[in-house]
Amino acid sequence: MKTTRTQLLLTAALVSALAFATAVAQANDGLPSWSDGRAKAAIVQFVKVVTTESGKDYVAPAERIAVFDNDGTLWAEQPIYFQFAFALDRVKALAPQHPEWKTKEPFASLLKGDLNGALAGGERALLEIVMASHAGMTTEEFEHIVKDWIATAKHPKTGRPYTEMVYQPMLELLAYLRANGFKTFIVSGGGVEFMRAWVEKVYGIPPEQVVGSMGKQKFELRDGKPVLLKLPAVDFVDDKEGKPIGIQKFIGRRPIAAFGNSDGDLQMLQWTTTRPGPGLGLIVHHTDAEREWAYDRKSHVGQLDKALDEAMAKGWTVVDMKRDWKRIFPFE
Amino acid sequence: MKTTRTQLLLTAALVSALAFATAVAQANDGLPSWSDGRAKAAIVQFVKVVTTESGKDYVAPAERIAVFDNDGTLWAEQPIYFQFAFALDRVKALAPQHPEWKTKEPFASLLKGDLNGALAGGERALLEIVMASHAGMTTEEFEHIVKDWIATAKHPKTGRPYTEMVYQPMLELLAYLRANGFKTFIVSGGGVEFMRAWVEKVYGIPPEQVVGSMGKQKFELRDGKPVLLKLPAVDFVDDKEGKPIGIQKFIGRRPIAAFGNSDGDLQMLQWTTTRPGPGLGLIVHHTDAEREWAYDRKSHVGQLDKALDEAMAKGWTVVDMKRDWKRIFPFE
């Protein structure tokens, strides 16, 4: 008995020592895809300040909440939001069950491959596409559908799975923050159930740390077995003013660091950077037309206009993708 | 340099060894306030089964989600829900700013000390009291109000602060589950912002692991500073069918263990116990009129009727407080 416990203790100590050595090694250069510039320096300096126990800006680990937008911040969002690509694929897959779609907009245009025609109906058309593809099944069925799609669908430009269209420097940043005691959350306009189906594997962020837009649900017993049915009605939109509200509702703490890339993230950055105590606000600026895409003030996807002005006025960190990132995608 | 790292490694190893030894000691008897009976045995057996890596019912740590109702499960709920006591105290404190309440129900009756008269208006009267006390301020102002109240208010029967009216066996259970790799959440009909103001200190459950009912909020810039304003409108009711929905929305994983005490927890227990793989459902039955309160099928607070029938039919674990708990409150 005594020997066993001693052995257990020794094993635990060795495992811990190894983990610690690994952490130390990584901390020495935890951001290899980041160029040595102002953006990287701002991140490293911020982390140093909030983790230095003797400093005036020390933040206890429990309070080290970092929130990340997803589309355009953790993974790409061109030529169309990836979740919208999923919705279009679903409409095509479901078309045989909906003969009425042949003559009903926005589906008729969509099925002819005319995306602009389909979206001529504006927000209402978009909502119809989202509802047709995201409601009318149980939450478990939807999870399987997303998992199947994400495992097989390919990005139209690179031919890569969408889960490879993630930003290597941001993967490093997530790991770097977690190694420094941060709890990392996604706070995205994307659908929460769409993201939860794959983000744990790709970003190391568990489902319970994902905040997003969502539809209404209904609890039902089917032959005595409970299911949650996804209804065709919007419940919460986690964008713009919705982001601080989503943070308050789902996390209940004010973040100390926020990472975004568009005007949809403006209020989340305001909410984070004006808290009492230190707060880091960072914007990923898409400036690399060669390795990724270059767009900002006039883009229909991920428009960055007001938030860019405010970033400059308030001194938030702006990442120039072309200059600040040595590598963009993991497959490069 | 080399010496420093060796010293660091050694320190880390020692700290780890100590933590491990403590964990081992606690695991030997992690539930001292529980009598040796069927309820304790069911808990210990379940934890053993899901944590035994070689077993067929092993559950990976990331999936070990345990959800707890609050009122009547983690703390008492008699003679009235404690959050309702807070609301009544707030109405009294705010009365000088609302001269119109002197003649307006339900406030007029309330301020005369006539609770039954005030509640004669049914659900609408209740909602008016909740809104008057829980809306019209920023989220940060509300947090301060709750913290002040919880630090000073006393339970009418015991004269103890409400945060001492928590169940010692459940505090042990929370710690026991966490020591076994579980992530513990509250899923309560109570207000999420009311709970988050104090549950971390009392239960060791951080704000981001609290799911509850909530009102609508509005993001506003006041002199350039963002605030979240609490609006007098219900957003989500985390009770009955709302509990599995709240779990899905906020946690995004199906729990493997659920703890409740009333019909409000029925659907959460159904949702947990019918998952594929092992699922523990437990109901705290208030059977001790001497040390606490005895109530179930006909109680206006924490009614336990349908869920008790289903517990017996489905073989869920029912805790008989009188018999199963050696100690009820920490102050005993």
Side-chain angles (χ1 to χ4, degrees):
Chain A
M1 181 73 183
K2 216 170 182 180
T3 316
T4 310
R5 182 178 293 184
T6 309
Q7 283 171 341
L8 279 170
L9 290 174
L10 197 62
T11 308
L14 281 170
V15 168
S16 161
L18 277 168
F20 190 78
T22 310
V24 167
Q26 283 174 344
N28 283 340
D29 192 14
L31 302 168
S33 300
W34 290 75
S35 305
D36 288 319
R38 269 194 294 184
K40 181 175 173 177
I43 293 166
V44 172
Q45 174 63 18
F46 176 78
V47 168
K48 192 180 162 193
V49 157
V50 299
T51 57
T52 301
E53 271 194 68
S54 54
K56 72 171 176 51
D57 284 331
Y58 175 73
V59 176
E63 302 278 341
R64 291 182 205 154
I65 304 288
V67 290
F68 289 81
D69 170 58
N70 184 38
D71 299 307
T73 299
L74 293 179
W75 75 351
E77 58 185 351
Q78 296 283 5
I80 55 170
Y81 293 120
F82 297 174
Q83 190 177 353
F84 191 54
F86 162 77
L88 298 183
D89 284 353
R90 285 305 297 160
V91 167
K92 282 175 208 155
L94 291 167
Q97 296 163 47
H98 293 273
E100 75 279 10
W101 284 356
K102 276 182 196 149
T103 54
K104 193 186 162 197
E105 291 297 348
F107 305 103
S109 295
L110 256 195
L111 295 172
K112 280 180 225 144
D114 176 12
L115 188 57
N116 287 337
L119 293 180
E123 207 164 299
R124 201 181 142 176
L126 188 65
L127 197 65
E128 282 203 59
I129 295 166
V130 170
M131 289 309 164
S133 51
H134 287 69
M137 71 290 278
T138 70
T139 50
E140 290 187 355
E141 285 163 356
F142 184 73
E143 188 185 337
H144 289 300
I145 292 168
V146 175
K147 281 187 171 163
D148 284 348
W149 181 83
I150 206 93
T152 53
K154 300 283 195 303
H155 188 273
K157 188 183 159 195
T158 64
R160 298 273 176 176
Y162 286 102
T163 48
E164 291 185 19
M165 300 293 293
V166 297
Y167 303 132
Q168 177 62 29
M170 297 305 279
L171 298 181
E172 294 167 8
L173 179 56
L174 285 167
Y176 175 73
L177 290 176
R178 290 193 288 252
N180 281 285
F182 282 74
K183 204 164 177 177
T184 52
F185 288 78
I186 291 175
V187 177
S188 166
V192 71
E193 305 206 298
F194 176 80
M195 294 186 282
R196 282 176 177 157
W198 54 270
V199 295
E200 185 162 32
K201 212 166 147 185
V202 176
Y203 303 137
I205 295 178
E208 62 268 26
Q209 285 163 226
V210 182
V211 181
S213 298
M214 54 184 65
K216 290 194 187 295
Q217 298 184 354
K218 186 167 177 264
F219 177 87
E220 248 181 37
L221 289 177
R222 287 185 177 175
D223 303 325
K225 281 250 176 187
V227 295
L228 292 174
L229 198 64
K230 286 171 69 68
L231 304 179
V234 174
D235 186 20
F236 176 62
V237 178
D238 190 44
D239 195 35
K240 297 193 168 73
E241 288 84 0
K243 288 207 175 192
I245 293 173
I247 289 168
Q248 180 69 14
K249 285 167 73 163
F250 287 77
I251 307 175
R253 292 197 217 251
R254 211 154 161 175
I256 69 166
F259 304 86
N261 77 298
S262 79
D263 284 359
D265 304 310
L266 175 58
Q267 289 81 1
M268 174 170 87
L269 286 157
Q270 290 172 333
W271 184 239
T272 302
T273 55
T274 57
R275 69 183 280 279
L280 176 70
L282 182 147
I283 283 178
V284 174
H285 189 188
H286 294 262
T287 52
D288 195 325
E290 251 174 71
R291 294 185 300 166
E292 209 240 2
W293 287 269
Y295 57 98
D296 48 33
R297 295 185 189 274
K298 290 186 177 160
S299 176
H300 289 292
V301 168
Q303 183 178 40
L304 174 65
D305 183 37
K306 286 181 200 167
L308 191 56
D309 290 338
E310 191 146 336
M312 298 199 236
K314 301 275 170 70
W316 298 341
T317 297
V318 177
V319 170
D320 179 336
M321 277 176 81
K322 191 170 183 175
R323 206 186 52 196
D324 285 318
W325 286 0
K326 292 185 204 164
R327 192 153 73 127
I328 291 188
F329 297 115
F331 54 76
E332 280 170 22
Chain B
M1 183 72 180
K2 217 170 183 180
T3 317
T4 309
R5 184 180 291 185
T6 309
Q7 284 172 339
L8 281 171
L9 289 176
L10 196 62
T11 308
L14 281 171
V15 168
S16 161
L18 277 168
F20 190 77
T22 309
V24 167
Q26 282 173 344
N28 283 340
D29 192 12
L31 303 167
S33 298
W34 290 74
S35 304
D36 287 319
R38 270 194 295 184
K40 181 176 173 178
I43 293 167
V44 171
Q45 175 63 16
F46 177 79
V47 168
K48 193 182 160 193
V49 157
V50 299
T51 56
T52 301
E53 271 194 68
S54 55
K56 72 170 177 51
D57 283 331
Y58 175 72
V59 176
E63 303 278 342
R64 292 184 204 153
I65 305 289
V67 290
F68 290 80
D69 169 59
N70 185 38
D71 300 307
T73 300
L74 293 179
W75 74 351
E77 58 184 352
Q78 296 280 7
I80 56 171
Y81 292 119
F82 297 174
Q83 190 177 353
F84 190 56
F86 162 77
L88 298 183
D89 283 354
R90 286 305 297 161
V91 166
K92 283 176 207 155
L94 291 166
Q97 296 162 47
H98 293 273
E100 77 279 11
W101 285 356
K102 275 182 197 149
T103 54
K104 193 185 162 198
E105 289 299 346
F107 305 103
S109 295
L110 255 194
L111 294 172
K112 280 181 225 144
D114 176 11
L115 188 57
N116 287 335
L119 293 180
E123 208 164 296
R124 199 179 144 177
L126 188 64
L127 198 66
E128 280 204 58
I129 295 166
V130 170
M131 290 309 165
S133 50
H134 287 70
M137 70 291 277
T138 70
T139 51
E140 291 187 354
E141 284 162 357
F142 184 73
E143 187 185 338
H144 288 302
I145 291 167
V146 175
K147 281 187 171 165
D148 284 349
W149 182 82
I150 206 92
T152 53
K154 300 284 196 299
H155 187 273
K157 188 182 159 194
T158 65
R160 298 274 175 174
Y162 286 101
T163 49
E164 291 185 20
M165 300 293 292
V166 296
Y167 303 132
Q168 176 63 28
M170 297 306 280
L171 297 181
E172 293 167 10
L173 179 56
L174 285 167
Y176 174 72
L177 291 175
R178 289 193 290 254
N180 281 285
F182 282 73
K183 203 163 176 179
T184 52
F185 289 78
I186 291 175
V187 177
S188 166
V192 70
E193 306 206 296
F194 175 79
M195 294 185 282
R196 281 175 176 157
W198 55 269
V199 294
E200 186 163 32
K201 212 166 147 186
V202 176
Y203 303 137
I205 296 178
E208 63 269 25
Q209 286 163 225
V210 182
V211 180
S213 298
M214 53 185 62
K216 290 194 186 294
Q217 298 185 354
K218 186 167 177 262
F219 178 87
E220 248 182 37
L221 289 177
R222 286 184 177 175
D223 304 324
K225 282 252 177 186
V227 295
L228 292 173
L229 199 63
K230 285 171 70 67
L231 303 179
V234 174
D235 186 19
F236 176 64
V237 177
D238 190 45
D239 196 32
K240 297 196 167 71
E241 287 84 1
K243 288 206 175 192
I245 294 174
I247 288 168
Q248 180 69 13
K249 286 167 73 163
F250 287 79
I251 305 174
R253 290 198 219 252
R254 210 153 162 177
I256 69 167
F259 305 87
N261 76 299
S262 79
D263 284 358
D265 303 311
L266 175 58
Q267 289 81 0
M268 174 169 88
L269 285 157
Q270 290 172 332
W271 184 239
T272 302
T273 54
T274 57
R275 69 182 282 278
L280 176 70
L282 183 147
I283 284 178
V284 174
H285 190 187
H286 294 263
T287 53
D288 195 326
E290 250 175 70
R291 294 183 300 166
E292 208 240 1
W293 287 269
Y295 58 98
D296 47 35
R297 296 185 189 273
K298 291 187 175 159
S299 177
H300 289 293
V301 168
Q303 184 178 38
L304 174 64
D305 183 34
K306 287 180 201 167
L308 191 56
D309 290 338
E310 192 147 335
M312 298 199 235
K314 301 275 170 71
W316 298 341
T317 298
V318 177
V319 170
D320 179 336
M321 278 175 80
K322 191 170 180 175
R323 206 186 51 195
D324 285 318
W325 287 0
K326 292 185 205 164
R327 192 154 71 129
I328 292 188
F329 297 115
F331 54 77
E332 279 170 25

